[in-house]
Amino acid sequence: MLLAIDTSTGTSVAVVDRDTGVLAETGTGDTMRHAEVVGGFIRDALADAGVRADELSGVAAGMGPGPFTGLRVGIAAAHAFALGISKPFVPIVSHDAIAWCWYRDGGAGTLQVVTDARRREFAVSEYDGLDVDGLPVRTDGPRLVPRDDVPGARGIRLDAAVVPAGAVGMLAEFAYVAGRLPLADDAPLYLRAPDVTPSAGKRVLQ
Amino acid sequence: MNRDAPLVLGIETSCDETGVGIVRGTELLANVIASSMEEHARYGGVVPEVAARAHLEALGPTIAAALAEADIGLADVDAVAVTNGPGLAGALMVGVGAAKALAVALDRPLYAVNHLVGHVGADLLDHEAPLETPTVALLVSGGHTSLLLVRDLVSDVELLGETVDDAAGEAFDKVARLLGLPYPGGPEIDRAAIGGDPTAIRFPRGLTRPKDQASHSFDFSFSGLKTAVARWVEQREAAGEPIPLADVAASFREAVVDVLVAKAVAACTDLGVPRLLLGGGVVANARLRELAEERAAAAGIALRIPPLSLCTDNGAMIAELGAQLIMAGHPPSSMDFGADSTLPVTDIQA
Ligand SMILES: [Zn+2]
């Protein structure tokens, strides 16, 4: 069983099990209150699933792409929870979870996953079905594109407002079974450099 | 939980230091700090997004290092404490998210505490003499410049005054920059001031005119001082005269330190509180400590300066404030608090 957290859009927390699926999932689409809700959601998801923290075998986290401030809250929480239960931290690309869900539910062909990246940009990834292990095949991205210049999707364009943590967790479970972990780097997918320019300073004296 | 001497792990991420401290009652077990200062050097000041990214990377390893230093496991921890403000919002949120998850994972109570009051709480970890209240506290760093009246650490703290523009540490950084010195400015100005005459140039002391006494008697302002230094230097340059760097640095530093100490001592005298506590990273400035000692002694004020490792932002002070709240019987914070970048000092615990 895994705890899964994704704050790349709103906040979503789930408890999943490889065999029985998503045991509990709780969340909000609110993109401004990640720090406020994340603790209560973790507590509630565990309670809803009837699972104690020490029964979990790891913590999966959506690494984005997503707006910096909120994205970090979920990753920090997942890291700390994993540390707290001395179990592995499993990073997952949030777009991969969306794609996995869509194919699992019967989608076929090329899929373009699109999420809001603020500042008039979208984060975009492209997929080409599931591989032999049942994991999504990402053929492009995630990368940022201007909102009015999203490349024409060869297949279906899927605009996602939320990333369900249940999908993040289940993808992690499937990857584990297939011996394919880690599926992603333990690094947030900010896709943008910090918004500053190095200053040489105003050198009055030389 | 041991309520007489709770084992508390404290997390501090309000600015550019990722701090994790562990205390048992008033006993300091660990105080580990990972600083992102070097990453900010090329920008000439703390960049919030750079600081927040660094916190996320540093937090796990810093918690692990603190546990190793304290020689305990997470199972031994009685409670988790975290800074929920004031500070940089994005940076605070990293600590808040992590602390909440850690508390739930360990099934331990969580105490969200005020960063500024934490600076005062740090003094309890210094055992030469117990902290007596009421006390005035002068907290000076790159992020804040505040004067507090602490009647009771866990229940009664009042803001007497604060900076209306730049923090004192920020003023050091900005003036260092305009003098062509690197970041962080405090130690650089100190070095440049060696051999300089602090009375060579009379730079302005912000908010000290008679008309400021009514509404701003305990407030600070450093942006006018920064401008005055810039103008003085520019005029010299325009006139083709050499710039006496040591004198400018020493005179600027004296203007900052003079107004900080003058207002802190005045607060003690006006309020009849013969105790002054210093905290914050600018306490590293030897001239500040020297002048505070001199004037406190002259005014019959007992001055307390915690060790420097407890003056700069750190997790131990947050753990200690959490421990004090537990020892005073305060219930834990509820799980729904957020990061508050402008948290008032009267909100000691969320
Ligand atoms: Zn501070």
Side-chain angles (χ1 to χ4, degrees):
Chain A
M1 276 184 294
L2 299 176
L3 176 74
I5 303 174
D6 191 288
T7 55
S8 60
T9 53
T11 302
S12 180
V13 178
V15 177
V16 301
D17 179 77
R18 200 177 313 151
D19 303 322
T20 45
V22 179
L23 302 179
E25 189 173 73
T26 178
T28 173
D30 191 332
T31 57
M32 299 300 292
R33 288 173 51 81
H34 303 95
E36 284 85 344
V37 299
V38 73
F41 283 1
I42 297 171
R43 183 195 54 204
D44 295 349
L46 288 167
D48 290 353
V51 168
R52 289 193 322 270
D54 62 9
E55 295 176 89
L56 297 167
S57 48
V59 184
M63 305 303 286
F68 318 150
T69 310
L71 176 63
R72 265 192 297 268
V73 172
I75 297 172
H79 260 298
F81 200 99
L83 196 65
I85 59 172
S86 302
K87 295 286 164 58
F89 171 85
V90 185
I92 296 288
V93 174
S94 300
H95 281 187
D96 287 0
I98 297 168
W100 179 81
C101 242
W102 187 79
Y103 287 120
R104 181 207 54 187
D105 292 345
T110 304
L111 175 70
Q112 185 179 55
V113 173
V114 179
T115 54
D116 185 11
R118 306 229 173 115
R119 300 191 203 171
R120 282 180 286 170
E121 284 183 313
F122 284 124
V124 177
S125 301
E126 270 191 17
Y127 295 86
D128 189 18
L130 300 177
D131 64 17
V132 287
D133 292 323
L135 305 179
V137 179
R138 180 158 21 95
T139 52
D140 186 32
R143 59 191 176 90
L144 295 178
V145 298
R147 277 191 200 178
D148 49 11
D149 193 25
V150 177
R154 287 194 297 276
I156 301 289
R157 168 174 163 162
L158 176 61
D159 285 79
V162 283
V163 179
V168 171
M170 288 308 290
L171 178 55
E173 290 275 25
F174 274 67
Y176 173 77
V177 170
R180 296 272 297 275
L181 289 178
L183 268 186
D185 292 337
D186 180 7
L189 292 161
Y190 295 125
L191 304 186
R192 251 188 215 124
D195 211 5
V196 279
T197 43
S199 163
K202 184 186 170 192
R203 289 174 186 272
V204 176
L205 291 183
Q206 255 336 317
Chain B
M1 173 184 354
N2 181 349
R3 289 205 170 268
D4 298 323
L7 189 77
V8 183
L9 182 146
I11 296 174
E12 151 66 35
T13 64
S14 70
C15 192
D16 62 339
E17 323 268 16
T18 309
V20 178
I22 300 173
V23 304
R24 183 187 281 120
T26 57
E27 186 193 348
L28 177 63
L29 301 186
N31 185 18
V32 180
I33 293 164
S35 176
S36 61
M37 190 199 283
E38 282 180 16
E39 294 176 56
H40 303 284
R42 64 199 186 107
Y43 304 114
V46 174
V47 180
E49 177 59 22
V50 172
R53 289 184 182 194
H55 284 307
L56 181 60
E57 280 178 38
L59 199 49
T62 309
I63 293 173
L67 292 168
E69 188 174 302
D71 195 20
I72 61 157
L74 279 172
D76 301 320
V77 169
D78 287 316
V80 178
V82 65
T83 306
N84 72 314
L88 305 169
L92 287 164
M93 279 183 221
V94 176
V96 168
K100 286 182 174 182
L102 188 60
V104 175
L106 300 174
D107 193 22
R108 297 291 193 278
L110 177 61
Y111 288 79
V113 306
N114 188 298
H115 173 84
L116 292 172
V117 183
H119 272 301
V120 182
D123 189 60
L124 287 153
L125 294 165
D126 181 18
H127 290 148
E128 281 179 20
L131 173 74
E132 281 182 67
T133 49
T135 183
V136 169
L138 173 66
L139 308 176
V140 202
S141 77
H144 48 74
T145 303
S146 307
L147 202 51
L148 272 49
L149 172 60
V150 183
R151 293 191 193 86
D152 184 304
L153 184 70
V154 295
S155 62
D156 190 353
V157 179
E158 183 187 331
L159 181 72
L160 298 173
E162 62 188 338
T163 183
V164 299
D165 40 57
D166 295 342
E170 218 178 338
F172 274 99
D173 293 339
K174 288 180 176 174
V175 167
R177 209 166 126 187
L178 72 86
L179 293 175
L181 302 169
Y183 172 87
E188 294 293 335
I189 295 273
D190 264 358
R191 209 165 297 138
I194 292 171
D197 176 5
T199 63
I201 310 151
R202 176 76 194 177
F203 286 126
R205 269 68 169 162
L207 299 177
T208 54
R209 287 169 300 183
K211 75 177 178 83
D212 298 319
Q213 286 309 307
S215 53
H216 289 297
S217 58
F218 298 133
D219 285 334
F220 304 92
S221 169
F222 297 106
S223 75
L225 170 59
K226 174 196 66 194
T227 309
V229 175
R231 197 159 298 151
W232 194 91
V233 168
E234 279 162 16
Q235 282 168 357
R236 278 290 174 118
E237 283 201 319
E241 294 173 42
I243 309 292
L245 180 61
D247 285 350
V248 174
S251 298
F252 158 73
R253 181 181 63 183
E254 197 66 11
V256 174
V257 168
D258 178 28
V259 75
L260 288 172
V261 175
K263 294 207 174 206
V265 168
C268 291
T269 309
D270 289 8
L271 299 164
V273 174
R275 282 174 289 273
L276 175 61
L277 174 84
L278 301 189
V282 176
V283 173
N285 191 295
R287 180 60 190 147
L288 173 62
R289 296 198 304 271
E290 185 182 277
L291 193 67
E293 271 158 18
E294 202 179 294
R295 293 195 191 160
I301 294 165
L303 180 70
R304 297 182 68 96
I305 309 177
L308 194 58
S309 61
L310 292 170
C311 277
T312 49
D313 290 348
N314 67 86
M317 69 186 199
I318 300 308
E320 183 52 31
L321 182 51
Q324 291 294 321
L325 287 159
I326 293 167
M327 292 188 276
H330 289 236
S333 304
S334 79
M335 262 296 160
D336 55 7
F337 65 87
D340 184 346
S341 57
T342 60
L343 187 71
V345 294
T346 44
D347 291 358
I348 301 166
Q349 182 197 349

